Amino acid sequence: MGASWLHGVCNENSLAPLIRMLGLRLYRTSGDNSVLYDHDLESYALFDKNGQQVPQEIVTKVGETFEKILKETVKVRDEHANDMALIQAMAIVLDRNPHLKLVGLEYEVLQWCICRLEAWFATDTDNISLKNWDQEHVLTGGHGLVVNGYDPVIKALARDLDIHLNHRVTKIIQRYNKVIVCVEDGASFVADAAIITVPLGVLKANIIKFEPELPIEKLSAIADLGVGIENKIALKFNTVFWPNVEVLGRVAPTSNSCGYFLNLHKATGNPVLVCMVAGRLAYEIEKLSDEESVNFVMSQLRKMLPKATEPVQYLVSRWGSDPNSLGSYSCDLVGKPADLYERFCAPVGNLFFAGEAACIDHSGSVHGAYSSGIAAAEDCRRRLSTQLGISGLFHVGKIVVREEMTEVMVPFQISRL
């Protein structure tokens, strides 16, 4: 229901040693230069409103046009001192380059491409910053679906640690080089320092009170960083009735009306399709019951494949309304300061901040969250070593074991059927 990919199947990825050591199987869904980021155009089936499959040559042509439009937006950015929404820049590009304008079915395929772009950022193009949309440092190696999920990674990192589950934090108090963490049932935990990794959406909602209040530069960073939503409706069927491609898509006159399904049968062998919805559509679907959500996406699927059968099981995520997340991952909004990530991840005394939103180069990714956690832990170690006058603090026991564990050199277990 949550994170599914390793973005950047390469040794430079901070999670690569763990993924390799655990022998986790990856299924490559795209190479390095996919316009649609996590899915190549080589394994897809797009359908129009009448259920007719869109010819491959049309999708290829539109994909190339989409790439040209995006490249032209860089010129628009260079000409304007102020930021603007990516969709506004695209409109300027099309006004200047009438030969790039598409009509009819081609225009609807373009909207599907925009729908995929919005899914990457988990927000609509009128929220996506022209200044920052292409500034993320994407690692090489393409994108690999973690076939059995990230649970083995979590379990490996959590081994032998004293973890308290079901403790909802209500207040964090800084006192005399100590941190007091208060939880809902009235209990509290005292430590020399704390690393705060709750999702950005939870911080934005001010669910956790800080005493004293966080400084204004931290509060403004939390307020200005955007939080996107991407939800999944996973459908399991008795039999496979769809084409043997990675992505099934429905084109439409607007990006919000488009839809796409990830075919997990190719990666896992199980008869499962996952409908991915992002941005405003994800917000709207969260207002529905699980059953209503499934009925909606099944109506979409039947417009593509009229012979679609009823699912025998389903799961529906609600990351926007889940009180433990209140969003999926961060996104760069229009017109926000360039130093947002630096201010967000900066420590406040003995409070340190980590998570995907605190990773300047790899926000929105699992390896970004992991990297930021390692960096925050190292900052914390240095502070406490100085404060307590103990050199080499923490360089013992379980942490050393984990460092040695991650250095085991084994190849990636990766395939593409």
Side-chain angles (χ1 to χ4, degrees):
M1 289 286 94
S4 303
W5 274 270
L6 182 70
H7 294 298
V9 184
C10 61
N11 289 330
E12 291 73 32
N13 192 307
S14 59
L15 278 175
L18 261 176
I19 297 285
R20 292 197 314 257
M21 186 275 299
L22 294 171
L24 298 186
R25 193 159 60 90
L26 302 175
Y27 179 84
R28 194 189 303 276
T29 56
S30 80
D32 286 341
N33 299 311
S34 174
V35 178
L36 304 178
Y37 297 100
D38 58 343
H39 301 299
D40 281 334
L41 287 174
E42 67 187 52
S43 185
Y44 67 90
L46 300 188
F47 298 85
D48 63 19
K49 62 183 178 182
N50 299 315
Q52 298 298 310
Q53 187 167 343
V54 180
Q56 181 176 347
E57 57 270 20
I58 290 180
V59 183
T60 301
K61 175 191 172 184
V62 173
E64 292 169 353
T65 302
F66 184 46
E67 189 168 8
K68 291 175 183 175
I69 293 170
L70 291 178
K71 285 181 179 177
E72 288 293 314
T73 65
V74 177
K75 296 178 182 177
V76 177
R77 176 171 60 204
D78 292 341
E79 297 165 1
H80 291 77
N82 295 329
D83 196 12
M84 67 176 72
L86 180 59
I87 195 69
Q88 184 181 347
M90 292 170 67
I92 293 173
V93 168
L94 293 175
D95 283 342
R96 293 178 178 177
N97 301 274
H99 66 283
L100 294 178
K101 289 186 177 180
L102 301 173
V103 296
L105 181 59
E106 291 182 351
Y107 177 80
E108 294 191 355
V109 175
L110 176 65
Q111 295 305 305
W112 187 81
C113 291
I114 293 173
C115 166
R116 291 295 307 112
L117 181 72
E118 291 172 332
W120 176 263
F121 292 97
T123 192
D124 299 80
T125 45
D126 57 0
N127 286 327
I128 298 172
S129 164
L130 172 64
K131 187 184 296 182
N132 296 309
W133 78 269
D134 61 345
Q135 297 305 298
E136 180 182 351
H137 176 52
V138 180
L139 296 174
T140 61
H143 307 280
L145 185 74
V146 186
V147 175
N148 293 314
Y150 270 106
D151 195 49
V153 173
I154 296 167
K155 286 179 177 176
L157 292 173
R159 194 178 305 142
D160 300 326
L161 297 180
D162 182 18
I163 296 174
H164 295 254
L165 301 177
N166 298 312
H167 283 60
R168 188 181 300 276
V169 175
T170 57
K171 184 185 290 187
I172 296 175
I173 305 169
Q174 288 178 282
R175 289 282 189 275
Y176 313 111
N177 287 326
K178 295 290 183 183
V179 176
I180 305 168
V181 177
C182 306
V183 297
E184 247 178 10
D185 65 0
S188 61
F189 299 86
V190 181
D192 295 304
I195 300 174
I196 298 165
T197 61
V198 298
L200 176 60
V202 173
L203 291 177
K204 290 175 78 71
N206 200 28
I207 291 171
I208 298 173
K209 305 300 180 183
F210 288 85
E211 189 181 301
E213 191 174 67
L214 293 173
I216 188 65
E217 60 268 19
K218 177 70 71 177
L219 293 174
S220 63
I222 292 171
D224 286 346
L225 276 170
V227 176
I229 295 183
E230 183 174 32
N231 277 320
K232 301 179 181 181
I233 297 97
L235 309 165
K236 184 177 182 180
F237 300 90
N238 275 328
T239 57
V240 175
F241 53 79
W242 52 87
N244 187 34
V245 293
E246 284 166 12
V247 178
L248 300 168
R250 178 174 179 267
V251 304
T254 66
S255 61
N256 271 338
S257 301
C258 295
Y260 80 100
F261 294 78
L262 178 68
N263 174 19
L264 286 190
H265 185 254
K266 278 184 74 71
T268 69
N270 296 310
V272 174
L273 294 176
V274 182
C275 181
M276 316 279 279
V277 290
R280 292 188 184 91
L281 180 59
Y283 275 105
E284 292 303 315
I285 286 185
E286 286 203 12
K287 297 176 184 177
L288 306 177
S289 67
D290 285 3
E291 187 177 20
E292 289 170 333
S293 300
V294 170
N295 289 338
F296 171 77
V297 299
M298 283 303 300
S299 69
Q300 294 278 76
L301 186 60
R302 287 199 175 95
K303 289 173 183 174
M304 298 188 287
L305 302 168
K307 294 182 179 179
T309 60
E310 283 293 315
V312 293
Q313 284 180 284
Y314 55 78
L315 288 170
V316 181
S317 72
R318 298 177 180 279
W319 295 116
S321 53
D322 186 325
N324 298 318
S325 59
L326 297 177
S328 296
Y329 43 86
S330 60
C331 59
D332 291 307
L333 299 180
V334 178
K336 300 304 179 184
D339 65 343
L340 276 180
Y341 286 97
E342 289 88 344
R343 285 190 282 123
F344 178 72
C345 67
V348 177
N350 53 354
L351 294 181
F352 300 84
F353 293 79
E356 59 82 19
C359 187
I360 297 169
D361 291 327
H362 304 287
S363 60
S365 67
V366 178
H367 68 271
Y370 178 72
S371 297
S372 80
I374 296 295
E378 179 59 25
D379 287 346
C380 179
R381 183 193 67 80
R382 280 196 297 265
R383 176 186 171 88
L384 294 185
S385 293
T386 301
Q387 177 183 314
L388 302 176
I390 304 172
S391 63
L393 185 67
F394 302 145
H395 280 299
V396 292
K398 292 187 278 287
I399 288 181
V400 173
V401 169
R402 278 172 177 70
E403 289 173 352
E404 291 173 349
M405 176 179 73
T406 59
E407 289 173 2
V408 177
M409 290 302 293
V410 293
F412 281 113
Q413 304 295 313
I414 188 160
S415 65
R416 186 159 193 190
L417 301 177

